Amino acid sequence: AQVKHIQAATPGGIATGVWVGDTYYLSGQLPSPSKPADRATNTPAVWGTTNEQADNAFQKVAAGLKEQGLGMGDVVMMRVYMVAAPDGKLDFQGMNAAYNKYFGTADQPNKPARTTVQVAALVTAGALLEVEVQAARNK
């Protein structure tokens, strides 16, 4: 199979994604804070709820796929890595509510195979989840 690395200017030296034949592997997408940190006033970033973060991460997944001519309906496998919120609870329902806006809808009925796991921490403090997907071009 032909392999093509999509090398955007990403931090950490990873590919944005990799094509292997007709399958696209999109690197993990972290949410962005709803309000960035303000160094001038020493105000920390505001990250929002698991639901808000998940919605933001799924928007980034959709954008990353669109750049490659793919859509959410092309996603065949998804992995969601979650950490507990500051209250110590894992908000699976909040993540799933955001997921259900993108998968299994009237407009986009396809649902991928999916794994969701709780992890101790993510690379970005404040982020409550990271989403990676594999998508296949339908011929």
Side-chain angles (χ1 to χ4, degrees), residues 91-105:
D91 185 9
F92 179 78
Q93 288 179 316
M95 182 282 295
N96 223 33
Y99 168 89
N100 287 330
K101 290 169 54 179
Y102 297 89
F103 299 95
T105 67

Side-chain angles (χ1 to χ4, degrees), residues 4 6 11 18 21 26 39-40 53 60 63 65 67 71 76 78 88 91 104-105 107 109 116 119 130 134 136 138:
K4 179 182 177 191
I6 309 302
V18 177
L26 180 67
R39 301 208 192 298
Q53 289 193 33
K60 288 182 173 184
L65 293 172
E67 287 175 6
V76 294
M78 174 183 289
D91 185 9
T105 67
D107 290 338
T116 304
V119 295
E130 183 169 357
Q134 291 144 24
N138 199 357

Side-chain angles (χ1 to χ4, degrees), residues 38-44:
D38 184 344
R39 301 208 192 298
T41 61
N42 207 24
T43 308

